[in-house]
Amino acid sequence: MAQHSSFLEVAWLLIRGELPSQEELDGFRDEVTYHTMLHEDYGRFIGALPKNAHPMPVSAAAVGALATFYQEPETAEHVQRSIVRLIAKMPTIAAQSFKHSIGQPAIYPRNDLPYCSNFLHMMFATPCEEFEVDPVVARAVDLLLILHADHEQNCSTSTVRMVGSSMANLFASISSGISALWGELHGGANQRVIEMLEQIRTEEGSADVFLQKAKDRGDTTRLMGFGHRVYKNYDPRAAILKKECRTIIERLGGSSELLDIAMRLEEIALGDSYFIERNLYPNVDFYSGVIFKAIGFPTNMFTVLFTLGRLPGWIAQWCEMRADPSFRIARPRQVYTGATKRSYPKKR
Ligand code: CMC
C-alpha cells in the first residue's frame, strides 16, 4: 500500500474494510476537502493556550473540543460525519496550533490542494507570499501517514477502545488516544530519536559512547527508535522509511549528518550482542523523524504527524468495537495483593 495507495485510500480501507472504487474514493476526497475548515471560534480556543505548549496536548484538547462544536446524537449517519470531520480537520488543527506557537496567523485550508499538500501549505505558507508545495515532499508525508495508519492493539489504540467502550463519543475517544500516543515509549519516540541524534552530534562525540550508556543496566538511557513489543525483527516500516530518508534529503539538499549518525547507530547496534540477544531492531520511529526534520517540521510536531497517520486506525478500531455483537464496556479485572485490614491512625 505504501507503494500504490494514497493515505485517504488507506483510510477508507481501514474504516470500510474494502478498497474504494475510483468513484467512492473521489467522493470521500470531496467530503474530506469540504470539511477541513474549523469553526472560527477555534482560533480563540487555541489562542488561549500557552504559546510554548507542546502541540500534542493542544491537539488532544482541540479534538476533545470538537465534541462541543458538534453535539449531535450518535446515529450511524452522524458517526459517519464525525469520521469525515476528524480526518478533514485534524491537519487544520495541527497546523493552526503550530502557527499559534510561532505567533503567525493561521492559514486557511485550500480546497484546490490534495490532503497532504493542503496540510503542508497550512503549515508553511504565510499570508505575505506565495508558497508552492513540492509534490515530492507531499508524497513523502502521504507515505509516512500510510505507514502509521494502524498497528493492532498498541497503547493508544487500546486507549481509544477502552474509552469508547463506555459509550464515550468518537471525538472524546480519539482525544484520549492522542494523549496516550504522546508518551516517549510510544509515538513520542519519534521526537526523542531526533533529540538523541542531536545530542550524539553535540555532546556524546560518537555513536559508540551513546550505545554504551544505552546498554548499561544502571543507566536509564535507551536507544530511542529501537525495540518493539511485537516486532522481534526489523520493523518493515523502518525499512521503507530508511530508503525514503536519502531520497528526501537529496531532493531538498539538506545535511545528511543526522541520517549518517542514525545509520551508524543501527550498524553498531545490529552487530552488538546486547541488541542481538534481546531482538532489538529499528522501529517505525527510528527514521521517520529524520524525514520530518529534513522537510522542516519542528521537532515537537513529529508526534502530531504520527497522530495524523494513526487517526484512521483508531477510528476503524472504535467502529469495529462498537459494531461487535459481543460489545461490552471494557473492565480489566484486578487481583488485589495488598493488606487485608488496616486501622485508622489514632486521633492525636
Ligand atoms: N534500548 C536499550 N535497551 C532496550 C531497548 C532500547 N531501545 N528496548 C528494550 N531494551 C531492553 C530492556 O532494557 C530489556 O532488557 P533486560 O531484558 O536486560 O531487562 C529488554 O530489552 C526488553 O525490553 P522491554 O522494555 O521489556 O520491552 P518492551 O516490549 O516492554 O518495550 C519498547 C518495547 C518499544 C517500549 C522498548 O523497546 C523501548 O523503550 N524502546 C525505545 C522507545 C521506542 O522506540 N518506542 C517506540 C515503539 S514503536 C512505535 C510506537 O509504538 O509508537
Side-chain angles (χ1 to χ4, degrees), residues 21-326:
S21 64
Q22 192 57 50
E23 207 184 343
E24 285 168 331
L25 183 57
D26 292 344
F28 183 50
R29 275 203 194 108
D30 258 20
E31 263 198 293
V32 167
T33 301
Y34 288 99
H35 281 89
T36 46
M37 261 177 63
L38 294 173
H39 190 289
E40 199 57 18
D41 286 348
Y42 250 90
R44 285 195 292 128
F45 173 73
I46 292 178
L49 299 170
K51 280 206 169 12
N52 63 354
H54 194 284
M56 282 301 275
V58 174
S59 303
V63 168
L66 287 174
T68 69
F69 286 90
Y70 305 107
Q71 303 184 22
E72 293 138 352
E74 211 173 77
T75 61
E77 190 196 332
H78 284 129
V79 169
Q80 286 313 309
R81 200 168 309 151
S82 298
I83 292 172
V84 169
R85 282 185 173 135
L86 268 168
I87 294 175
K89 293 182 198 305
M90 195 59 223
T92 319
I93 289 173
Q96 199 154 319
S97 60
F98 168 62
K99 289 295 191 187
H100 167 62
S101 75
I102 58 169
Q104 286 186 6
I107 300 294
Y108 286 94
R110 264 183 44 187
N111 290 354
D112 59 325
L113 292 177
Y115 191 77
C116 287
S117 301
N118 178 43
F119 172 54
L120 287 163
H121 188 263
M122 289 189 289
M123 280 288 301
F124 299 117
T126 67
C128 318
E129 57 188 21
E130 284 294 307
F131 176 82
E132 281 289 318
V133 178
D134 182 338
V136 174
V137 173
R139 174 60 196 150
V141 173
D142 203 69
L143 170 74
L144 275 148
L145 300 192
I146 291 173
L147 292 176
H148 285 86
D150 187 47
H151 214 223
E152 54 165 73
Q153 291 314 302
N154 54 83
C155 176
S156 55
T157 302
S158 304
T159 302
V160 169
R161 277 181 171 256
M162 171 77 93
V163 173
S165 82
S166 74
M167 295 302 282
N169 67 46
L170 187 58
F171 299 128
S173 308
I174 299 293
S175 167
S176 319
I178 297 173
S179 299
L181 187 72
W182 185 19
E184 68 175 38
L185 294 186
H186 193 8
N190 60 11
Q191 171 174 347
R192 293 280 294 112
V193 168
I194 286 295
E195 289 166 356
M196 170 186 81
L197 298 178
E198 283 172 341
Q199 185 191 337
I200 293 172
R201 183 174 58 183
T202 54
E203 289 170 30
E204 305 292 344
S206 76
D208 308 69
V209 178
F210 183 87
L211 279 176
Q212 284 311 318
K213 279 166 71 175
K215 292 189 313 182
D216 181 353
R217 303 290 305 277
D219 193 317
T220 53
T221 305
R222 283 198 165 192
L223 177 53
M224 299 311 288
F226 253 69
H228 197 273
R229 176 62 61 81
V230 178
Y231 286 130
K232 298 302 171 195
N233 47 6
Y234 208 106
D235 184 335
R237 301 167 299 175
I240 297 173
L241 290 175
K242 185 178 173 181
K243 255 209 241 154
E244 189 67 17
C245 282
R246 195 59 76 192
T247 315
I248 282 292
I249 288 170
E250 277 167 14
R251 169 80 182 197
L252 299 174
S255 155
S256 66
E257 212 183 341
L258 293 181
L259 174 61
D260 296 340
I261 297 173
M263 289 174 68
R264 175 84 187 120
L265 272 173
E266 179 190 327
E267 189 190 336
I268 309 172
L270 295 188
D272 187 300
S273 59
Y274 175 95
F275 294 91
I276 295 170
E277 279 158 20
R278 290 168 178 76
N279 297 314
L280 301 171
Y281 291 87
N283 60 48
V284 68
D285 295 316
F286 195 66
Y287 286 108
S288 63
V290 176
I291 303 179
F292 292 145
K293 175 108 187 153
I295 293 174
F297 286 105
T299 317
N300 67 1
M301 282 296 288
F302 292 3
T303 315
V304 178
L305 284 142
F306 194 147
T307 304
L308 295 185
R310 186 52 53 90
L311 188 56
W314 286 334
I315 293 171
Q317 299 257 3
W318 187 95
C319 294
E320 184 185 80
M321 176 192 64
R322 286 292 186 85
D324 187 340
S326 61

